[in-house]
Amino acid sequence: MTLSGEAGAPFASSGTFPIGTTLKVTNLDNNKSTTVKVETTSGSCVLLNNAAFEQVREPGKFLIRRAVIEKIG
C-alpha cells in the first residue's frame, strides 16, 4: 500500500474495488486502521491519499508492506 500524494479528506483510489466502496485498512506493523471510501480509480489495489495514510503509517515510512484491506460497504 502506498501514498497517492493527493490532498483533502481521507479517501482511497483503487483498481480492484469500485468507486463508492468503503474499506477498512489496517497496518499490521502498528495495528492502526482507518476507514476510507474509494473515490477514484488507480492502477494499484489501493492507494491512500495523504490524510488517510497519516492515520495508519509508521513515522518516517512511506509504504505499508503488511496490511489488511476489508470491504465494509
Side-chain angles (χ1 to χ4, degrees), residues 37-72:
K37 186 171 277 192
V38 176
E39 294 187 6
T40 61
T41 59
S42 71
S44 298
C45 178
V46 174
L47 293 175
L48 299 177
N49 74 333
N50 288 334
F53 197 82
E54 284 299 321
Q55 293 177 355
V56 296
R57 80 178 196 133
E58 292 185 84
K61 294 190 178 180
F62 297 95
L63 177 67
I64 299 171
R65 294 191 185 278
R66 297 180 340 113
V68 172
I69 301 166
E70 300 170 82
K71 180 181 173 183
I72 59 173

Side-chain angles (χ1 to χ4, degrees), residues 17-42:
F17 299 98
I19 291 173
T21 303
T22 301
L23 304 172
K24 180 179 178 185
V25 178
T26 304
N27 180 345
L28 296 176
D29 290 330
N30 62 12
N31 210 32
K32 290 183 179 180
S33 64
T34 187
T35 301
V36 293
K37 186 171 277 192
V38 176
E39 294 187 6
T40 61
T41 59
S42 71

Side-chain angles (χ1 to χ4, degrees), residues 4-9 11 49-51:
S4 74
E6 296 184 52
F11 74 89
N49 74 333
N50 288 334

